[in-house]
Amino acid sequence: QVQLVESGGGLEQAGGSLRLSCTASGLAFEIYAMGWFRQAPGKQRELVAEIRRGGNINYADSVKGRFTISRDNAKSTVYLQMDSLKPEDTAVYYCSARRHWGGGSYSPGYWGQGTQVTVSE
């Protein structure tokens, strides 16, 4: 049974930092593209950052230069370091594990339960 367990969310002031972690079990972690998505109230879920098995990284334009994604295959864990937080970063953040087949093609993937990030003014 595949499980993705997120931690590290919480309440932070604008300009502050938070670090999210997601530990996976039940899958061959190293072959998966690991991603962080977020969903704010009334909005669609959006990709925040992704790191593929070869180390290629993609960021949403809105977080470039502020967020850093990394992975530790030995610990089956992916991290999202979030600096210079803004109120518009407030959302539920979800960890994902998907197989990347090339280009924009992915498997349906697995999802964590989500962790709330709230950034105050």
Side-chain angles (χ1 to χ4, degrees), residues 79-90:
Y79 305 96
L80 186 67
Q81 177 66 40
M82 305 186 294
D83 299 319
S84 301
L85 283 164
K86 302 176 180 180
E88 51 263 45
D89 294 320
T90 296

Side-chain angles (χ1 to χ4, degrees), residues 22-86:
C22 170
T23 299
S25 60
L27 53 72
F29 180 85
E30 62 277 6
I31 68 172
Y32 279 80
M34 299 301 299
W36 288 97
F37 288 72
R38 67 186 180 187
Q39 188 166 18
K43 294 187 177 181
Q44 288 190 330
R45 189 173 296 191
E46 62 174 355
L47 176 67
V48 175
E50 177 190 60
I51 181 167
R52 296 177 182 169
R53 64 180 295 183
N56 289 341
I57 291 174
N58 295 307
Y59 293 103
D61 288 343
S62 59
V63 306
K64 283 180 180 176
R66 300 189 297 120
F67 290 10
T68 304
I69 190 171
S70 61
R71 65 190 295 165
D72 184 338
N73 288 341
K75 296 182 178 180
S76 296
T77 299
V78 61
Y79 305 96
L80 186 67
Q81 177 66 40
M82 305 186 294
D83 299 319
S84 301
L85 283 164
K86 302 176 180 180

Side-chain angles (χ1 to χ4, degrees), residues 3-14:
Q3 284 190 313
L4 301 179
V5 180
E6 300 117 333
S7 61
L11 174 63
E12 183 59 73
Q13 290 185 330

Side-chain angles (χ1 to χ4, degrees), residues 75-119:
K75 296 182 178 180
S76 296
T77 299
V78 61
Y79 305 96
L80 186 67
Q81 177 66 40
M82 305 186 294
D83 299 319
S84 301
L85 283 164
K86 302 176 180 180
E88 51 263 45
D89 294 320
T90 296
V92 178
Y93 284 70
Y94 296 91
C95 174
S96 73
R98 302 182 295 172
R99 294 294 306 278
H100 178 234
W101 305 124
S105 179
Y106 292 86
S107 67
Y110 304 97
W111 296 87
Q113 79 286 354
T115 186
Q116 177 70 46
V117 171
T118 302
V119 183

